[in-house]
Amino acid sequence: MVYLPFLVMVVALLLGVPIAFSLATAGIVGILLLGGDVNVVLRILGTTPFGVTAEYVLTTIPMFILMAYFSASGGLAIATVFACGIFGAMSGASLAAAAVMSSIAMPEMRRHGYSDELAAGSIGIGATLDILIPPSVGMVIYGISTQTSIGKLLIAGVIPGIIVAIFLTAAILVWVRVRPAHAPETYVVPAKERWASLGRIWSSLLLIVLVVALLYTGVATPTEVGALGAFLAGLIGFVFGRLTWAGALEALRQTIKTSALIFMILIGATVFGYYMAMSKIPQQVVAVVTEMNLNRWLVIIGIVVTYFVVSMFMDELPLLLLTLQLTFPLITSLGFDPVWFGVMSMLMVAMGLVFPPVGMIAFVVSSSGNVSLMKVYTGTSILMIALVLTTALLMVFPQIALWLPNTMK
């Protein structure tokens, strides 16, 4: 009976019930099954919405999202493959980054002679960079859920994110070398022209560098960085004439909509969390794994595979809120660093979002970029080697993720 709420949640999700209400419903059923009366449920429902959303640290989320929408409306995301990475790093959610960049970059890459497979794969994998590189809403959610330093989590994703980008570049070069038909013939661009082209994206680069620098030096908190980033993104758009009042209002509307969605998921996850606490399922899982005396790396591999599979069917935010209540107590009991596991979780989620047979980003790229789903899968499956290699490196050398946050002031 104690696991019946999980079945209720799965059935609700299959019926198309929003994840927030699926979590809340499963939590309520669980609490009632454990002997809680209706008054207990009503008290939880009466206090949870305000108690969850009133946390000051949560203001980081709408600020980061507003920064992303101001950037998109202001034209900071230029229609190039490089811009896909930039916007991915500035976006609040990978699906939003994929949708925006598919509609912008896909037509341009086609016009220049890139195959649909290479173009869609680059956009799909590039959109996952937002999960690692600050500002990352996924990292913020992880930090809030596990009481881990958000500043350290955001900084921890910088080097792995850069490594993913390097591996992605190498994978594309190898692909084009082996199958030249997937890319147009190129010519050497003079250095002067290369530097001149940076003039179109310097503001995006400056904003990202500023966000990372402020977080790393400890000059500002993540919440303050988010607010400043949103303000500067809007200011840059207005100064350069790229952001209109209509665009700004639309950005605010989308920010409110997205933030409300995230907050509703947080509320639903908190209700479900009450059931998890009452049932003591996390403690039971830790006890069972401890009694089995398994090698801790075997356990982490099992968790990694589970994240990878489940993320094919669910976006990163509800996935994290649902699974961390079980996985986080387990990994901390095994002595793994919470910051390191945060980065590993993001990489697993990123792979699941682009891998067949589901992969939600693949669906978004297919619909927004008007390209066959099979071609999207072909591209993302080949280029996903960048995420796989980065994950392997982090497992062998955890300091890749931990060195930079450990040097923070």
Side-chain angles (χ1 to χ4, degrees), residues 4-34:
L4 181 60
F6 289 94
L7 178 61
V8 170
M9 181 180 60
V10 171
V11 171
L13 290 172
L14 292 175
L15 292 175
V17 178
I19 182 67
F21 296 103
S22 298
L23 285 168
T25 301
I28 291 171
V29 170
I31 292 169
L32 292 175
L33 287 175
L34 291 174

Short mmCIF file of all heavy atoms in Angstrom, two decimals, residues 4-34:
data_model
loop_
_atom_site.label_atom_id
_atom_site.label_comp_id
_atom_site.label_asym_id
_atom_site.label_seq_id
_atom_site.Cartn_x
_atom_site.Cartn_y
_atom_site.Cartn_z
N LEU A 4 1.43 2.61 -3.45
CA LEU A 4 0.28 2.92 -4.28
C LEU A 4 0.29 4.36 -4.81
O LEU A 4 -0.08 4.61 -5.97
CB LEU A 4 -1.02 2.65 -3.50
CG LEU A 4 -2.33 2.90 -4.26
CD1 LEU A 4 -2.42 2.02 -5.50
CD2 LEU A 4 -3.53 2.67 -3.34
N PRO A 5 0.71 5.36 -4.00
CA PRO A 5 0.76 6.74 -4.52
C PRO A 5 1.64 6.89 -5.77
O PRO A 5 1.35 7.73 -6.63
CB PRO A 5 1.34 7.53 -3.34
CG PRO A 5 0.92 6.75 -2.14
CD PRO A 5 0.99 5.31 -2.56
N PHE A 6 2.70 6.10 -5.88
CA PHE A 6 3.54 6.16 -7.08
C PHE A 6 2.75 5.71 -8.30
O PHE A 6 2.87 6.28 -9.39
CB PHE A 6 4.79 5.29 -6.91
CG PHE A 6 5.77 5.84 -5.92
CD1 PHE A 6 5.74 5.44 -4.59
CD2 PHE A 6 6.72 6.77 -6.32
CE1 PHE A 6 6.64 5.95 -3.67
CE2 PHE A 6 7.63 7.28 -5.41
CZ PHE A 6 7.59 6.88 -4.08
N LEU A 7 1.94 4.66 -8.12
CA LEU A 7 1.08 4.20 -9.21
C LEU A 7 0.05 5.26 -9.58
O LEU A 7 -0.22 5.49 -10.77
CB LEU A 7 0.38 2.90 -8.80
CG LEU A 7 -0.59 2.30 -9.83
CD1 LEU A 7 0.16 1.95 -11.12
CD2 LEU A 7 -1.28 1.06 -9.25
N VAL A 8 -0.51 5.91 -8.58
CA VAL A 8 -1.47 7.00 -8.82
C VAL A 8 -0.83 8.11 -9.64
O VAL A 8 -1.42 8.62 -10.60
CB VAL A 8 -1.99 7.57 -7.48
CG1 VAL A 8 -2.81 8.84 -7.71
CG2 VAL A 8 -2.82 6.52 -6.76
N MET A 9 0.41 8.45 -9.30
CA MET A 9 1.10 9.51 -10.02
C MET A 9 1.36 9.11 -11.47
O MET A 9 1.15 9.91 -12.39
CB MET A 9 2.42 9.83 -9.33
CG MET A 9 3.22 10.93 -10.00
SD MET A 9 4.78 11.25 -9.14
CE MET A 9 5.58 9.66 -9.28
N VAL A 10 1.81 7.88 -11.70
CA VAL A 10 2.09 7.41 -13.06
C VAL A 10 0.81 7.42 -13.90
O VAL A 10 0.81 7.88 -15.05
CB VAL A 10 2.71 5.99 -13.02
CG1 VAL A 10 2.79 5.41 -14.43
CG2 VAL A 10 4.09 6.03 -12.39
N VAL A 11 -0.29 6.92 -13.33
CA VAL A 11 -1.56 6.89 -14.05
C VAL A 11 -2.01 8.31 -14.39
O VAL A 11 -2.47 8.59 -15.51
CB VAL A 11 -2.64 6.16 -13.23
CG1 VAL A 11 -4.01 6.32 -13.88
CG2 VAL A 11 -2.30 4.69 -13.08
N ALA A 12 -1.87 9.22 -13.43
CA ALA A 12 -2.26 10.62 -13.67
C ALA A 12 -1.44 11.24 -14.79
O ALA A 12 -1.98 11.94 -15.66
CB ALA A 12 -2.10 11.43 -12.38
N LEU A 13 -0.14 10.97 -14.80
CA LEU A 13 0.72 11.50 -15.86
C LEU A 13 0.34 10.92 -17.22
O LEU A 13 0.31 11.64 -18.23
CB LEU A 13 2.18 11.19 -15.55
CG LEU A 13 2.80 11.95 -14.38
CD1 LEU A 13 4.19 11.41 -14.07
CD2 LEU A 13 2.88 13.44 -14.69
N LEU A 14 0.04 9.61 -17.26
CA LEU A 14 -0.36 8.98 -18.52
C LEU A 14 -1.69 9.53 -19.03
O LEU A 14 -1.92 9.57 -20.25
CB LEU A 14 -0.47 7.46 -18.33
CG LEU A 14 0.85 6.71 -18.09
CD1 LEU A 14 0.58 5.24 -17.81
CD2 LEU A 14 1.76 6.86 -19.30
N LEU A 15 -2.53 9.98 -18.11
CA LEU A 15 -3.82 10.56 -18.50
C LEU A 15 -3.70 12.02 -18.90
O LEU A 15 -4.69 12.65 -19.28
CB LEU A 15 -4.83 10.43 -17.35
CG LEU A 15 -5.27 9.00 -17.02
CD1 LEU A 15 -6.17 8.98 -15.79
CD2 LEU A 15 -6.01 8.37 -18.21
N GLY A 16 -2.50 12.55 -18.81
CA GLY A 16 -2.28 13.94 -19.22
C GLY A 16 -2.48 14.97 -18.14
O GLY A 16 -2.52 16.17 -18.42
N VAL A 17 -2.59 14.54 -16.89
CA VAL A 17 -2.72 15.49 -15.78
C VAL A 17 -1.38 16.22 -15.60
O VAL A 17 -0.32 15.58 -15.60
CB VAL A 17 -3.09 14.76 -14.47
CG1 VAL A 17 -3.18 15.74 -13.30
CG2 VAL A 17 -4.40 14.00 -14.64
N PRO A 18 -1.39 17.55 -15.47
CA PRO A 18 -0.13 18.28 -15.27
C PRO A 18 0.69 17.73 -14.12
O PRO A 18 0.13 17.27 -13.11
CB PRO A 18 -0.61 19.72 -14.99
CG PRO A 18 -1.93 19.82 -15.68
CD PRO A 18 -2.55 18.45 -15.53
N ILE A 19 2.01 17.76 -14.26
CA ILE A 19 2.90 17.14 -13.28
C ILE A 19 2.67 17.69 -11.88
O ILE A 19 2.74 16.95 -10.90
CB ILE A 19 4.38 17.34 -13.71
CG1 ILE A 19 5.33 16.67 -12.72
CG2 ILE A 19 4.72 18.81 -13.85
CD1 ILE A 19 5.26 15.19 -12.70
N ALA A 20 2.38 19.00 -11.75
CA ALA A 20 2.17 19.59 -10.43
C ALA A 20 0.99 18.93 -9.72
O ALA A 20 1.07 18.57 -8.53
CB ALA A 20 1.93 21.09 -10.56
N PHE A 21 -0.13 18.75 -10.43
CA PHE A 21 -1.31 18.16 -9.82
C PHE A 21 -1.16 16.65 -9.65
O PHE A 21 -1.74 16.07 -8.73
CB PHE A 21 -2.54 18.49 -10.68
CG PHE A 21 -2.84 19.96 -10.73
CD1 PHE A 21 -2.53 20.70 -11.85
CD2 PHE A 21 -3.43 20.61 -9.65
CE1 PHE A 21 -2.78 22.07 -11.90
CE2 PHE A 21 -3.70 21.96 -9.69
CZ PHE A 21 -3.37 22.70 -10.83
N SER A 22 -0.37 16.01 -10.53
CA SER A 22 -0.10 14.58 -10.37
C SER A 22 0.67 14.33 -9.08
O SER A 22 0.36 13.40 -8.32
CB SER A 22 0.70 14.06 -11.57
OG SER A 22 -0.02 14.20 -12.77
N LEU A 23 1.68 15.15 -8.83
CA LEU A 23 2.47 15.02 -7.61
C LEU A 23 1.62 15.28 -6.37
O LEU A 23 1.68 14.53 -5.38
CB LEU A 23 3.65 15.99 -7.64
CG LEU A 23 4.83 15.62 -8.56
CD1 LEU A 23 5.78 16.82 -8.71
CD2 LEU A 23 5.59 14.43 -7.99
N ALA A 24 0.83 16.36 -6.42
CA ALA A 24 0.01 16.72 -5.26
C ALA A 24 -1.03 15.64 -4.98
O ALA A 24 -1.25 15.25 -3.82
CB ALA A 24 -0.67 18.07 -5.50
N THR A 25 -1.67 15.13 -6.03
CA THR A 25 -2.69 14.08 -5.86
C THR A 25 -2.09 12.82 -5.26
O THR A 25 -2.64 12.23 -4.33
CB THR A 25 -3.34 13.75 -7.21
OG1 THR A 25 -3.94 14.93 -7.75
CG2 THR A 25 -4.41 12.67 -7.04
N ALA A 26 -0.91 12.42 -5.78
CA ALA A 26 -0.25 11.24 -5.25
C ALA A 26 0.13 11.44 -3.79
O ALA A 26 0.00 10.52 -2.97
CB ALA A 26 1.00 10.93 -6.08
N GLY A 27 0.59 12.63 -3.45
CA GLY A 27 0.94 12.94 -2.07
C GLY A 27 -0.26 12.87 -1.15
O GLY A 27 -0.17 12.32 -0.03
N ILE A 28 -1.38 13.42 -1.59
CA ILE A 28 -2.60 13.41 -0.77
C ILE A 28 -3.07 11.97 -0.54
O ILE A 28 -3.42 11.58 0.59
CB ILE A 28 -3.70 14.25 -1.45
CG1 ILE A 28 -3.32 15.73 -1.42
CG2 ILE A 28 -5.04 14.03 -0.77
CD1 ILE A 28 -4.22 16.60 -2.26
N VAL A 29 -3.08 11.17 -1.61
CA VAL A 29 -3.48 9.76 -1.48
C VAL A 29 -2.56 9.04 -0.49
O VAL A 29 -3.01 8.28 0.37
CB VAL A 29 -3.45 9.06 -2.85
CG1 VAL A 29 -3.62 7.54 -2.70
CG2 VAL A 29 -4.53 9.62 -3.77
N GLY A 30 -1.26 9.29 -0.59
CA GLY A 30 -0.31 8.65 0.31
C GLY A 30 -0.52 9.03 1.75
O GLY A 30 -0.46 8.18 2.65
N ILE A 31 -0.75 10.32 1.99
CA ILE A 31 -0.95 10.79 3.36
C ILE A 31 -2.20 10.15 3.97
O ILE A 31 -2.20 9.72 5.14
CB ILE A 31 -1.07 12.33 3.39
CG1 ILE A 31 0.28 12.96 3.02
CG2 ILE A 31 -1.52 12.83 4.77
CD1 ILE A 31 0.20 14.45 2.75
N LEU A 32 -3.28 10.05 3.18
CA LEU A 32 -4.52 9.44 3.67
C LEU A 32 -4.31 7.95 3.94
O LEU A 32 -4.84 7.40 4.92
CB LEU A 32 -5.64 9.64 2.65
CG LEU A 32 -6.12 11.09 2.47
CD1 LEU A 32 -7.14 11.18 1.35
CD2 LEU A 32 -6.71 11.64 3.77
N LEU A 33 -3.54 7.27 3.07
CA LEU A 33 -3.28 5.85 3.27
C LEU A 33 -2.46 5.58 4.53
O LEU A 33 -2.59 4.53 5.16
CB LEU A 33 -2.55 5.27 2.05
CG LEU A 33 -3.38 5.08 0.78
CD1 LEU A 33 -2.49 4.62 -0.36
CD2 LEU A 33 -4.50 4.06 1.01
N LEU A 34 -1.62 6.53 4.90
CA LEU A 34 -0.76 6.37 6.08
C LEU A 34 -1.47 6.75 7.38
O LEU A 34 -0.84 6.82 8.43
CB LEU A 34 0.51 7.19 5.92
CG LEU A 34 1.49 6.70 4.84
CD1 LEU A 34 2.64 7.68 4.67
CD2 LEU A 34 2.02 5.31 5.20
#
